[in-house]
Amino acid sequence: MENNINLEIGLTQAQVEERIADGKVNVQPQSKTKTIGRIIKDNSLTLFNMLNIILALMIIFVESFQNLLFINIVIINTFIGIIQEIKAKKTIDKLSLISQPHVSVLRDGKLEEIVFEKIVMDDILILKAGKQIPSDSQVVKGEIEVNESLLTGESDSIMKYEGDALLSGSFVVSGQATVQVTQVGLENYASKLVEAVKVAKKPNSEIMKALGFIMKSIGIVIVPLGLLLLYKQLLVQNLPLQVSVTGTVAALIGMIPAGLVLLTSVALAVGVVRLGRHQTLVQELYCIETLARVDVLCLDKTGTITEGNMEVLSMETICHDKNPVQAIRALIANLKDDNATYRALSESCQGEAPKWLCERVIPFSSERKWSGAFFAEQGTFVIGAPEFVLKERYDEIKEKVEHYASEGNRVLMLGYAKEPFKEDGSLPENIKTIALLPMGDKIRHEAKKTLEFFRNQGVDIKVISGDNPITVSQVAHRAGLLDWDNFVDASTLTEDEDVHKAAQIYSVFGRVSPGQKRLLIEALKNQGHTVAMTGDGVNDVLALREADCSIAMAEGSDAVRQVSQLVLLDSNFASFTRVLMEGRRVINNITRAASLFLVKTMFSLMLAVIVIIANEAYPFVPIQLTLISALTIGAPSVFLALEPNKNRITGNFLEKVLKKSLPGALTVVFNVVLIMIVGSYLALDHQQISTLAVISTGLIGLVILFRVSQPLDNKRWALFFTMTVSFLCCVLFLEDFFFLVPIQDFLPAMLIVLGITILDIYPLLRIFSWIVDQIERLLNRHQKEKRMAKATVLEK
């Protein structure tokens, strides 16, 4: 730090540019969003897009250009994915820009407002009440009261005088001071704490894991199956090159659930945009899903349940000689203090102040712990800490004060004396106690309703704070937490094992260090919970990074906003419910739509294996599968994925999707194999068998769509009706385009086979669903017996 900087002028423009050139700038972490180029690359250069391009080249090679329609769908899907992700990026970037804090800096003798990241070393800043300290600094003029709770978790304020150091991330509670920046960027105290959590964190997303497993599994089998199928059809069955290639391509296209990945990305991106409209900044796509699955919510007291301000909880009148409300109004009108206590008193005793003549004012100081005023004809009124006002006479009200203190409240005393202050500004003798005013943290007005909402949703609430455990407990009580009295002083938990045990037992934690917060989250996760953590201070950073879903209040530290997945820009606790509902909408709808995609993937995979073993031609060509998937999967899934859905999320995503998909896939395979066997017996040609297979599979897809769309409303009826009519029109009027035999050319035997495969759809779906349920029950029973046997062994 340079000591020759003029405090009236600040840095000159030349000095600022010199420091920028030397890299002495308050650099902030880069935006979490991808660049547009990266978005285009990530959406375009995917494994399945590459596979689709190879398959398209194979179709071009055999000049079956009609079957190229599937590549248009792939291009459209990719384009939609890029557009939606760019839209989500713009929403995030815009909200990030809005949330950037500003500070007053003195340069070239002029005061200007700049964002934190434009501060340079040795800058002269003017800090006032309510402002956050953007960089480590030193007070060079004036004095301020600073709250370091964002760093330490302690809510008590500290006075800072000329020469004292200030830490970035703290807030100015009262006063005004000129400060000089001593550290910038990553050298700041707050930034060094954040360094511990800079390693990239993989999202705890069940959908991401499930999709990864599906894609990996298909990626492993698709190439060898494709080569084997092509070999069988081309060299073993001696089918023409065009028929062999189109059949192989059709099988492989059916196996690729490319639209499922797109649907997930689009649904999540739309969720990001929707939440952005409600002042919620989503910095990581999959955290919407994680919050929807949360079963334990850890709340920081200050800034989450409370507003970070004080309020007067009640007033106990001790002496009725004077009107305490009138006296407080008179003090407020004349003291002009600017601190949390003054603001709380102003709010609780609103109204016109009496026209008393004030002859002397003694402002508040942290040394005196009181302030007051002398009024002609009225006397002296003081307000402050009882033990500092009464001194040796404190025992008169000690019992009452300690009763309030035991409930976690801070107690102010309103005192009165007829005599004025002494010459040195000390208190007059024989001050009477007029009233006691217990004060506490101001609870956010939406806190009770929000806690009740999460309780009704089966989410366990833990309140974690660096404050006194009794204070935290009482705040939890006032906020409506049912087990508010189940608290522990974390300073007594000396071993990591103690912290892990406490996580399971207690609901309220006080005197928690930043390291212990992280251990608590870790312990809850190890117990099998999905944990969300809220915070507003740098002391919360380690815990936020450990949590499955991290949520920051915009009023909190920059460091917290940087590491959190969600930022509530209006610092509104009630926004949690909106995020949870949006997460449920996205996840439930993706789960429902995913079952449609996996029906096609599973029946394509099973049919490919069957035709390889049976030495038969694959019964579909690519354009036929494009027709089926577009009308029974593609368009309906987009509609279903964007619908409202507030149902609770239960069960494993992959298990639920596979369970829903398997009966439909088995029904398709059964009917197609039946058609192939009967067709071979009746000497039907490949096109006739293919036509029956397309009609049967399309109708099965529509029945599955009907079941997935339950309960039906007007919109879903319209969707089902539109898809059904569109499919029938394609079969009846575009038969040449889709390589189908015209209905009028059907043989009587074909109509009989078609009738059988239409009538058996519903019974087969019911039978296969029952079989899947029975298998699931057996597996669950086996797992339960295994767990019980393991528990018995451990007990022995």
Side-chain angles (χ1 to χ4, degrees):
M1 183 180 84
E2 289 188 24
N3 297 320
N4 59 348
I5 305 296
N6 190 319
L7 301 184
E8 303 300 323
I9 296 175
L11 296 179
T12 64
Q13 189 58 37
Q15 288 174 316
V16 171
E17 289 174 1
E18 181 185 334
R19 283 160 174 74
I20 292 172
D22 291 341
K24 295 178 179 179
V25 188
N26 199 40
V27 291
Q28 303 293 308
Q30 293 181 347
S31 170
K32 291 188 176 185
T33 58
K34 300 178 188 175
T35 62
I36 291 178
R38 175 74 184 275
I39 290 172
I40 293 170
K41 179 183 174 184
D42 287 354
N43 280 273
S44 304
L45 302 180
T46 64
L47 170 63
F48 289 122
N49 275 4
M50 296 300 102
L51 281 171
N52 276 301
I53 289 170
I54 292 170
L55 297 177
L57 292 174
M58 290 172 65
I59 294 294
I60 292 169
F61 178 73
V62 296
E63 299 182 354
S64 181
F65 300 113
Q66 241 172 300
N67 282 304
L68 269 177
L69 187 62
F70 73 90
I71 202 66
N72 294 326
I73 304 297
V74 172
I75 293 168
I76 292 168
N77 284 348
T78 304
F79 183 73
I80 291 171
I82 291 170
I83 293 297
Q84 285 294 344
E85 199 167 340
I86 289 174
K87 192 175 180 182
K89 169 192 164 56
K90 287 182 177 178
T91 299
I92 291 173
D93 289 347
K94 183 180 177 183
L95 293 175
S96 298
L97 189 64
I98 291 169
S99 68
Q100 278 190 340
H102 289 70
V103 66
S104 298
V105 62
L106 193 64
R107 289 180 180 173
D108 285 323
K110 296 177 182 178
L111 200 62
E112 54 183 281
E113 292 284 316
I114 62 171
V115 293
F116 283 10
E117 62 186 17
K118 291 188 178 180
I119 294 169
V120 299
M121 182 73 83
D122 300 317
D123 252 331
I124 302 299
L125 310 178
I126 310 298
L127 298 178
K128 298 179 182 179
K131 289 290 184 181
Q132 187 175 22
I133 298 169
S135 285
D136 292 354
S137 313
Q138 187 179 56
V139 179
V140 292
K141 185 180 177 183
E143 58 184 58
I144 51 177
E145 193 177 3
V146 174
N147 186 317
E148 294 184 343
S149 63
L150 293 178
L151 303 173
T152 65
E154 300 286 347
S155 60
D156 295 335
S157 299
I158 303 165
M159 287 302 298
K160 298 285 184 177
Y161 304 97
E162 191 172 321
D164 286 347
L166 302 173
L167 297 176
S168 54
S170 308
F171 274 96
V172 180
V173 176
S174 64
Q176 179 173 322
T178 302
V179 307
Q180 186 173 0
V181 174
T182 57
Q183 299 288 353
V184 289
L186 301 180
E187 295 303 313
N188 281 318
Y189 176 77
S191 297
K192 287 178 180 177
L193 282 182
V194 178
E195 279 295 308
V197 294
K198 277 206 168 178
V199 180
K201 175 187 172 186
K202 188 178 286 187
N204 181 21
S205 166
E206 199 173 299
I207 287 182
M208 182 187 278
K209 292 174 185 173
L211 291 178
F213 173 78
I214 292 167
M215 298 305 174
K216 187 176 179 181
S217 302
I218 293 167
I220 290 171
V221 302
I222 194 169
V223 175
L225 263 181
L227 291 174
L228 191 58
L229 185 59
L230 183 63
Y231 166 78
K232 281 274 188 176
Q233 295 197 128
L234 191 62
L235 300 178
V236 177
Q237 298 174 44
N238 294 317
L239 294 173
L241 178 63
Q242 189 181 71
V243 174
S244 300
V245 169
T246 53
T248 302
V249 169
L252 300 185
I253 287 172
M255 294 179 205
I256 300 172
L260 178 56
V261 179
L262 169 78
L263 178 76
T264 304
S265 298
V266 168
L268 289 170
V270 169
V272 169
V273 175
R274 283 182 176 179
L275 289 173
R277 293 178 190 146
H278 296 286
Q279 294 298 293
T280 301
L281 170 60
V282 180
Q283 301 195 106
E284 186 182 275
L285 214 57
Y286 281 91
C287 72
I288 297 176
E289 175 205 349
T290 310
L291 186 60
R293 296 183 186 279
V294 160
D295 59 356
V296 176
L297 178 60
C298 295
L299 303 174
D300 180 45
K301 175 183 74 70
T302 307
T304 303
I305 297 177
T306 67
E307 293 183 1
N309 300 317
M310 303 292 287
E311 66 176 337
V312 177
L313 301 176
S314 63
M315 180 186 292
E316 182 181 353
T317 304
I318 306 295
C319 176
H320 295 273
D321 290 354
K322 296 290 180 179
N323 184 328
V325 175
Q326 287 290 81
I328 292 171
R329 285 174 181 167
L331 286 172
I332 291 167
N334 289 279
L335 286 174
K336 305 297 183 187
D337 286 340
D338 186 15
N339 54 42
T341 303
Y342 177 85
R343 289 190 290 272
L345 289 170
S346 300
E347 192 173 321
S348 65
C349 295
Q350 292 177 0
E352 188 177 352
K355 307 297 184 184
W356 297 347
L357 177 62
C358 181
E359 294 190 351
R360 190 175 184 187
V361 169
I362 304 294
F364 176 85
S365 81
S366 57
E367 293 176 7
R368 281 190 298 268
K369 299 290 186 185
W370 58 264
S371 58
F374 172 68
F375 301 94
E377 299 181 4
Q378 297 296 329
T380 299
F381 289 94
V382 294
I383 193 160
E387 60 269 39
F388 283 83
V389 176
L390 294 177
K391 296 178 183 175
E392 63 274 2
R393 293 170 45 225
Y394 174 58
D395 286 343
E396 294 175 10
I397 57 169
K398 182 179 178 181
E399 188 177 340
K400 288 180 178 291
V401 172
E402 289 186 348
H403 169 71
Y404 288 121
S406 70
E407 295 177 346
N409 301 319
R410 176 186 167 198
V411 184
L412 290 179
M413 168 198 153
L414 175 66
Y416 166 75
K418 190 174 182 180
E419 298 78 16
F421 296 109
K422 294 178 182 178
E423 288 296 324
D424 61 358
S426 60
L427 291 165
E429 302 294 336
N430 301 318
I431 286 186
K432 290 183 181 179
T433 303
I434 300 297
L436 294 179
L437 294 90
M439 301 182 71
D441 291 297
K442 190 172 185 179
I443 306 295
R444 290 184 180 274
H445 73 273
E446 68 274 9
K448 276 192 177 181
K449 189 180 288 186
T450 307
L451 289 182
E452 184 182 359
F453 169 83
F454 278 106
R455 183 168 64 247
N456 293 337
Q457 298 299 319
V459 178
D460 192 19
I461 303 291
K462 306 276 186 185
V463 181
I464 304 173
S465 175
D467 266 355
N468 182 294
I470 296 173
T471 303
V472 183
S473 171
Q474 289 300 317
V475 166
H477 184 204
R478 288 162 53 212
L481 189 70
L482 291 183
D483 47 353
W484 56 272
D485 54 348
N486 182 24
F487 63 88
V488 65
D489 185 340
S491 63
T492 63
L493 307 174
T494 54
E495 301 294 330
D496 289 359
E497 187 60 34
D498 296 334
V499 177
H500 281 253
K501 287 179 181 176
Q504 198 165 8
I505 300 168
Y506 298 102
S507 297
V508 178
F509 301 80
R511 299 287 184 213
V512 186
S513 69
Q516 285 179 320
K517 286 188 179 184
R518 183 185 61 79
L519 284 172
L520 283 169
I521 302 298
E522 186 182 85
L524 291 167
K525 288 172 64 179
N526 290 341
Q527 291 161 17
H529 297 292
T530 302
V531 185
M533 168 79 189
T534 71
D536 65 346
V538 178
N539 64 305
D540 299 319
V541 164
L542 295 173
L544 288 166
R545 194 64 176 172
E546 182 67 32
D548 296 307
C549 184
S550 50
I551 306 151
M553 297 292 186
E555 293 172 352
S557 157
D558 291 339
V560 169
R561 294 203 298 270
Q562 289 159 15
V563 302
S564 295
Q565 297 160 319
L566 280 165
V567 181
L568 307 181
L569 295 177
D570 54 1
S571 295
N572 188 347
F573 188 31
S575 297
F576 285 14
T577 59
R578 188 181 298 117
V579 179
L580 182 72
M581 288 298 102
E582 185 62 28
R584 286 184 176 179
R585 183 193 67 77
V586 171
I587 307 314
N588 283 321
N589 288 339
I590 288 174
T591 304
R592 182 165 56 181
S595 62
L596 296 175
F597 282 95
L598 289 191
V599 167
K600 179 172 73 83
T601 297
M602 293 168 75
F603 82 64
S604 297
L605 189 62
M606 287 186 275
L607 277 177
V609 173
I610 289 169
V611 297
I612 287 170
I613 294 170
N615 278 332
E616 293 288 338
Y618 197 75
F620 301 107
V621 293
I623 197 170
Q624 293 169 345
L625 284 179
T626 301
L627 167 67
I628 294 167
S629 60
L631 297 180
T632 66
I633 302 169
S637 66
V638 172
F639 176 88
L640 294 173
L642 301 178
E643 276 195 317
N645 194 320
K646 297 181 180 180
N647 298 328
R648 286 193 192 184
I649 295 174
T650 56
N652 179 277
F653 173 79
L654 186 59
E655 288 178 5
K656 284 175 72 175
V657 169
L658 291 176
K659 182 184 173 183
K660 286 183 177 181
S661 306
L662 194 54
L666 290 171
T667 302
V668 171
V669 171
F670 183 92
N671 271 357
V672 171
V673 170
L674 177 64
I675 289 167
M676 290 169 66
I677 292 171
V678 175
S680 176
Y681 179 76
L682 297 175
L684 299 178
D685 62 30
H686 182 267
Q687 190 177 13
Q688 290 172 322
I689 291 172
S690 182
T691 300
L692 293 175
V694 168
I695 296 173
S696 175
T697 304
L699 293 176
I700 293 169
L702 291 169
V703 172
I704 293 169
L705 173 61
F706 182 82
R707 296 180 74 185
V708 166
S709 299
Q710 301 296 325
L712 290 164
D713 56 20
N714 291 337
K715 289 181 180 178
R716 293 179 189 174
W717 269 116
L719 172 72
F720 177 72
F721 179 76
T722 302
M723 295 301 106
T724 303
V725 170
S726 299
F727 179 74
L728 293 176
C729 288
C730 289
V731 170
L732 293 172
F733 306 115
L734 297 174
E735 63 271 17
D736 290 339
F737 185 74
F738 291 105
F739 297 101
L740 302 174
V741 174
I743 295 294
Q744 59 269 25
D745 293 342
F746 270 32
L747 300 173
M750 289 176 64
L751 291 172
I752 293 169
V753 173
L754 182 61
I756 292 170
T757 56
I758 290 173
L759 292 173
D760 71 3
I761 292 173
Y762 187 71
L764 284 175
L765 284 172
R766 292 290 300 272
I767 291 167
F768 287 129
S769 295
W770 181 83
I771 292 171
V772 169
D773 285 339
Q774 295 306 308
I775 293 171
E776 184 185 30
R777 285 197 186 96
L778 285 171
L779 289 173
N780 288 341
R781 191 184 304 161
H782 176 69
Q783 288 177 355
K784 188 176 178 181
E785 289 171 356
K786 200 173 179 181
R787 283 196 299 270
M788 289 176 66
K790 188 177 179 180
T792 305
V793 170
L794 289 172
E795 285 173 8
K796 288 180 180 179

